[in-house]
Structure formats: C-alpha cells, structure tokens
Amino acid sequence: MDAIRTEALTKHFTVGFWRPRPYLALEALTLQIGHGEVFGFLGPNGAGKTTTLKLLMQLIYPTSGHAEILGRPVGDVEVKRRIGYLPENPYFYDYLTAEELLEYFSALFGHSAAERRRRASALLDEVGIGAERRLQLRKFSKGMLQRVGIAQALINDPEVVFFDEPMSGLDPLGRRHIRELILRLRDRGCTVFFSSHVLSDAEALCSRVAILANGRLVSQGALSEILAVTIRGWELVVSGLTETALAHAQSSAGIRGATRLGPERYALELPMTVPPEHLLAKLVAAGATLVSLNPLHDTLEDFFVRQVAAAPEERGLESTRG
Amino acid sequence: MRAIGHIAVNVFRESVRDKVLYSIVAFAVMLIAVSYLLAQLTAGQDLKIIKDLGLASIATFGLLMAIFIGIGLVWKEVERRSIYGLLTKPIRRWEFILGKYVGLVLTLLVNVAVMTAAFYAVLAYQGWGVDELARRAWPAPPMDPALLSAIALILVELMLVTGIALFFSTFSGPFLSAVLTLGLWVIGHFNTDLRNFENVVESRAAAWLARGLYYALPNFDTFDIKAQVVQGQHVAASYIALSVLYGMVYPALVLTGAVAIFSRRDFK
C-alpha cells in the first residue's frame, strides 16, 4: 500500500463571469509515493503544486480522478488523524498565542490537556520558537509564522506530512533548521511530501521528485536516476602536471576544458564520449598524480529548466493556480 | 461532537479578545444606565421608559453583535486562509459550521447576560425606596421576572439572526451578508402583513405568493413580547414555548442549508 496515491487527478476551474470558461489547473496527475519517502513536488510558480496539495487535503474537490492517502480516500477523518499539513504562506488566528494555537489544534485530535501542553511545548522547541510562544501571532514575522505552521502540522505526530513551500519566508539559518527537521522526520519513518520551486532544497532532501509544469506532470523518478541519465562528462583532477604535458594532452585527448587549481594542479573536463582511462594513463606516464575522477551530472536545476521549457503551454486561460 | 465544542470555545475566545465587542457591550450598558436619567424627565412613566429602553437596547445591540460577528464567522476564515489549517484537522465541515454557530450563540448569551444584569441593576435602583402608593400605580413591579421571558425571546431571535448571518457568510462577502441579513430581519418584522395580504388583493396568484413568502421567510415578530411584558400583560407559556420551538427549528433548517453549501465549496 502506498502512502499517497493519485490516479488521473484533474482539476478545472471556471473563470469568467459573463462567459464562464474552464481553465486547466491540473491534468490527469498520477503519482505513487511509498512509505518513508521524502518526495519533492517541483514546478515553477503557477504550475499546479498548491492545487494538488489542496486536492489531497480536500480543500478543493477534483473535477475527475481519485486520490488516496494511507489507503483511504482523501478527506476521510481517519486519514486526517494521521497526516499533517503546512499551507503555503500560512495564516493562523492572530488573537491566539503560538502556544494556544497548538493546544487548540491538539485538542481537535482529542489529546488531554496535559498532553496538549506537552506536545505544544516540545514542538515549539523543535522549530525554534522560544519565549515568543506567549505572544499573540499578530506580532509574529513571516518566518516565525512559517515555523509555527510547521509545528502545527506535526502536532499529531503524523505518518504523512504535506509541506507547501516549507522554506518560504525563512532565513538561511531557518532553512537549515527545517531541512534538518525534515531529515529527522524521514529517519522516524514519516513520509514527507513537499512542494517547492527551490531546487537546492529538493536536491538536498528528496529521494524522489516529480516536476509539474502548466498543470501537467512532465517528469518523475528517483533523483539519482533523473540525474544519472544526464551524465554529461568526466572531471579529472590531477597534480604534478606540467604545462607542457597539459598542452600535449589537450592536443591529443579531446579535453573540453582545463581549470588551473594551483601550481601543477588542474581540473580537466572530458566529454562523455571520451573514456577517461586512456587520458589518465597518459598523464600518469607524464608524471602526474590522480587526485580525483568524477562523473559530471546535470544539476537538478539544469534538468528542471529543460523539462519546464519543453512542457506544452496551452491550458486554457490566465493563471489562477498556486 | 467534541470538535464542535473546541471550535465554539475558540469563537468565544476570539470574541472576548475583540475590542469592538467590548465597545458595543459598554455602549449598551451605558444606554441602559442613561435610561434612568431619561425616566426622571417623565411623569408617571419612569419605570416604563426604563423597561422600554432597556429591552430595546438589549435587542438592538444583540442584533448588532449577531450580524456583525455572524457575517464574518466563515468569510474571515476563508479570506484569511486560516481555514486551511483547521479543516485539515480531524473535523468534518458540518462540525466547523456548527462549532462556529454554537460559539457565537455562547458569546451572545454571555453578552445578553451582562446587559440583563445592568438592566436589572437600574430597575432595582429605580424601585429602591419607592413608597407603596407609587408602586401600586405601576403596571408591573420593577424587578418583574416576566422581563426575563422577553429577554429569553430576544436571545432566541438573535439565535435565528446568527443562523441567517452564518448562512450568508458561507458563500458571500461581509457587506452582502450584512445587507441580506438585515434585509431579512426587517422583512421578518412585517411578516404578519404577508399573511393578511390575501384580504386586500384580488389576484389569487399574488395571494398564494404572499402566503408562500409568509411561510418561507423568518417571522421575527413572533419573538417580540416586549410591549406586553412592559405593560404587565400576561403572555401565555404555550406562546413562549411555541416561539422558542420556532426559533430552534428555523435556524436548524438554515444551518442545514449552510452546511450543504459549505460542504461542496472549493477553497481556492
């Protein structure tokens, strides 16, 4: 049984008052996400990421298709007991303190008063909210609200968490903090589904990603597979290489580029078509020493840009999606 | 059901932390107190003035609270997106609507209780030290318990207004909701005229339409026993009981409609 499963999930909105027209927000999204995965849901602004998350939270209803979480239909109260959700740019009751908000949400899960206090306190510690926890939320900055939002998503110790742009509004320290938190959740066996347009977050955290553009899924798979198929060459770092030996090698071995790293120390880039063993043997014979040999992958950003650029654009009308 | 309680308590907490609500209650209490001064300007009608003004203040300021809090109950949650965090907790949409309703009714109950306490304090002061002869001239004693039945029906009326405001709040903005709720409240006070429409028109269709509207629209006049109580007239317990029953059934129907709309709504 998958932790999250969608089958041809589709959402059309109606736009226009006098002449209502359908607008494609999400088209036939099919995903399977296993237990314990950290799954990155990527796409540019307006790709349909937030629409997908709202469908999974049943904040909006699908035009067609089906979605399940933990083997049950989305919106089922038993499912809600076992999941957590951080909305994009979260807003909570500004007349409550952070502590009160968490205790209120904890009460909705049926926790006792002592348990509510314990969970609220532990989670606010975990997301780095200190003495401010007794201030009303109207006095909180965007980053602090984001931390409270993450804490409330974890109030029930969920099996699956959905984070919509979890790094939004956070400073570098906060981002690092939340990355570590996501990794801790993964280590506890929690499935994490997060949407982002910040690719470095996905690259650092995800085991698998899906890329969405213009409401359509353009690619999905393990990060290692996606990037492995796009090895674009080799990087060879050597020391003890004289300029003469380098010039000789460049003229004969098809080296695409050489970067001087220090005295007689170079990083050489070879195209995928040239096996590195032959050049390496030549360089060693010329007195050079191998420091490292690595395949050159595309970054997720390279891959993302290519996929999004290739996605079909026609989808109806102007954007209303998140 | 537990979720309804928690949501209701949160609505109550929001209300008691709202300075606007304090201002409304303070103004109402002040007006009730001022009724004592106005009563001194009249000859022989002093107690009647206090009772009229006191009951009218409770009804009017209660109405203001019911409408202006009621119209924002759902709209504010959707507009500010706080509903995303709440509806993804283990609650059902109908529990959300009922929780909001119960919370506002609880708020109104407490505020009406505060205004009633101020009202009775003024009445007690007015009746204090008055000789027996003057007392006999009053149609009803100052601390007349029958006033409580008038106040109870005001509260039931406010429960109906709250239900209507909440209903409109599930699909429209605050301005439209306020206009529609207030409009229904005004029409609801002239509802009895619709019943008598058939006596003054020739057209059978118009008579049927008026009769249909009479049953469909809320009848707020049924809750108004202020004049009888102030005059010391007896109001039958059966009439009060039927009015209370009407004040329970109508909001139940309105809330059912609110739940039906809210349950199908997309929160974009």
Side-chain angles (χ1 to χ4, degrees), chain A residues 21-296:
Chain A
R21 303 168 299 261
Y23 168 77
L24 164 73
L26 188 69
E27 182 75 357
L29 178 72
T30 298
L31 289 175
Q32 278 100 34
I33 297 155
H35 289 270
E37 275 196 64
V38 178
F39 189 85
F41 199 51
L42 312 176
N45 293 332
K49 304 186 296 291
T50 296
T51 297
T52 306
L53 276 160
K54 283 183 180 173
L55 284 165
L56 289 170
M57 295 299 106
Q58 210 179 64
L59 291 169
I60 55 177
Y61 291 94
T63 306
S64 62
H66 178 73
E68 279 181 3
I69 300 172
L70 298 166
R72 301 176 80 111
V74 294
D76 185 307
V77 172
E78 285 314 306
V79 168
K80 289 182 182 181
R81 284 191 191 287
R82 297 161 66 190
I83 64 171
Y85 170 59
L86 166 75
E88 184 183 21
N89 300 323
Y91 179 89
F92 302 107
Y93 309 100
D94 58 9
Y95 53 88
L96 295 182
T97 66
E99 260 178 354
E100 286 170 340
L101 178 82
L102 262 63
E103 287 179 24
Y104 170 39
F105 283 164
S106 179
L108 295 174
F109 285 94
H111 301 147
S112 68
E115 180 66 8
R116 286 175 222 161
R117 277 193 296 277
R118 188 193 66 74
R119 283 178 186 253
S121 174
L123 278 167
L124 289 169
D125 284 344
E126 188 157 9
V127 296
I129 300 285
E132 309 91 348
R133 67 185 60 186
R134 293 198 176 88
L135 291 179
Q136 284 186 328
L137 292 171
R138 60 169 59 111
K139 293 178 181 136
F140 274 39
S141 68
K142 189 169 185 283
M144 284 161 73
L145 271 181
Q146 188 76 3
R147 288 165 188 256
V148 172
I150 290 168
Q152 63 81 35
L154 304 175
I155 195 71
N156 53 327
D157 199 8
E159 292 168 51
V160 185
V161 282
F162 298 85
F163 289 146
D164 197 352
E165 302 283 358
M167 308 299 182
S168 171
L170 295 174
D171 57 26
L173 206 64
R175 296 168 83 93
R176 187 172 169 177
H177 204 132
I178 299 309
R179 278 186 188 187
E180 287 167 3
L181 175 70
I182 291 175
L183 292 175
R184 281 201 298 278
L185 288 171
R186 181 200 62 190
D187 294 344
R188 279 184 227 161
C190 181
T191 308
V192 182
F193 180 103
F194 79 89
S195 80
S196 181
H197 60 266
V198 183
L199 302 176
S200 57
D201 294 335
E203 215 158 6
L205 296 168
C206 298
S207 46
R208 281 204 308 143
V209 296
I211 297 175
L212 206 62
N214 301 321
R216 296 183 177 91
L217 184 69
V218 291
S219 181
Q220 68 165 317
L223 208 53
S224 54
E225 287 167 15
I226 283 179
L227 299 181
V229 295
T230 54
I231 290 176
R232 61 167 198 255
W234 303 95
E235 187 194 60
L236 197 63
V237 177
V238 289
S239 63
L241 183 64
T242 62
E243 283 190 21
T244 319
L246 173 65
H248 180 67
Q250 272 182 312
S251 64
S252 62
I255 295 173
R256 198 157 56 187
T259 309
R260 188 170 183 273
L261 303 174
E264 295 189 346
R265 188 180 174 94
Y266 291 90
L268 307 174
E269 193 180 321
L270 288 176
M272 193 59 200
T273 48
V274 178
E277 300 88 344
H278 181 63
L279 173 67
L280 182 59
K282 264 189 176 177
L283 294 176
V284 170
T289 310
L290 175 67
V291 176
S292 65
L293 171 64
N294 290 304
L296 284 173

Side-chain angles (χ1 to χ4, degrees), chain B residues 153 221-225 228 235-244:
Chain B
L153 284 189
D221 230 13
T222 194
F223 304 112
D224 190 1
I225 56 166
Q228 294 97 305
V235 181
S238 58
Y239 177 83
I240 293 173
L242 270 177
S243 298
V244 170

